[in-house]
Amino acid sequence: MKKVTLFIASALLILGACKPEVGPIGPSYEAGAGIIGSWELTGADQTDVTLPVPETRDISRIYQNASNKWTVMFNADSTYNVSSQGPGFDLFGAGGTWKYNTPEFPSELYLTQFDTLTTVLPLGNMPRTIDQNFSVVYNRIRCDKPSVSYTLMFTRK
């Protein structure tokens, strides 16, 4: 019995001593800092949320085949401007100001069109400086209930 206990104790000590070395995982990037720059709307998904099982359709061809595409420039001074308006609904206006709901861990983008209309857009991802794509979600309301949800995908220009 002593030998079995001694064997188990030594096996636990040996296994406990074998820890993998954890090195640096790479540089850290500030969440949401990558939104600064010029972005082009390159794709979209449309989801009918009124169905028992929501159905999503890819409507990217509307934006990809357009001769003029939505191009939005987000500036470091928290302003944005639309240099090219493309097809579909006008979500951005001509420009205005932008901000995140929480700068440390953004989950929503607030767009205020020249101090008149504020649109809240949940983020599909927080754009970091190394990211080439980001997306926002726009929900259309009908009779005080969400009816259609659009996921708009942007590519850095």
Side-chain angles (χ1 to χ4, degrees):
M1 189 66 176
K2 282 186 178 182
K3 289 184 180 181
V4 173
T5 306
L6 186 60
F7 177 73
I8 291 173
S10 356
L12 289 175
L13 284 173
I14 291 171
L15 291 175
C18 297
K19 276 188 180 177
E21 298 232 359
V22 178
I25 59 172
S28 64
Y29 296 98
E30 184 180 348
I35 198 168
I36 307 301
S38 185
W39 297 90
E40 183 176 80
L41 181 60
T42 54
D45 288 337
Q46 179 184 34
T47 304
D48 185 352
V49 294
T50 62
L51 298 174
V53 177
E55 182 179 311
T56 301
R57 292 187 183 207
D58 183 3
I59 57 170
S60 297
R61 62 180 158 59
I62 295 170
Y63 301 102
Q64 293 168 344
N65 295 334
S67 58
N68 56 336
K69 295 185 179 185
W70 282 99
T71 305
V72 182
M73 177 72 156
F74 290 96
N75 304 309
D77 64 353
S78 295
T79 61
Y80 76 93
N81 60 334
V82 177
S83 57
S84 174
Q85 291 189 349
F89 49 88
D90 187 1
L91 183 63
F92 302 99
T97 60
W98 67 272
K99 68 177 183 175
Y100 290 125
N101 59 337
T102 53
E104 300 84 27
F105 303 104
S107 62
E108 293 178 333
L109 178 65
Y110 295 164
L111 300 177
T112 304
Q113 297 178 21
F114 296 114
D115 298 327
T116 58
L117 175 68
T118 299
T119 305
V120 179
L121 301 170
L123 291 170
N125 63 312
M126 300 176 291
R128 301 169 301 168
T129 53
I130 60 167
D131 292 332
Q132 296 303 310
N133 299 300
F134 90 99
S135 62
V136 295
V137 178
Y138 175 64
N139 296 310
R140 288 199 136 171
I141 307 296
R142 184 175 183 183
C143 299
D144 295 331
K145 292 182 183 177
S147 63
V148 178
S149 176
Y150 295 93
T151 302
L152 305 173
M153 291 154 271
F154 293 86
T155 302
R156 192 179 299 276
K157 233 180 139 178

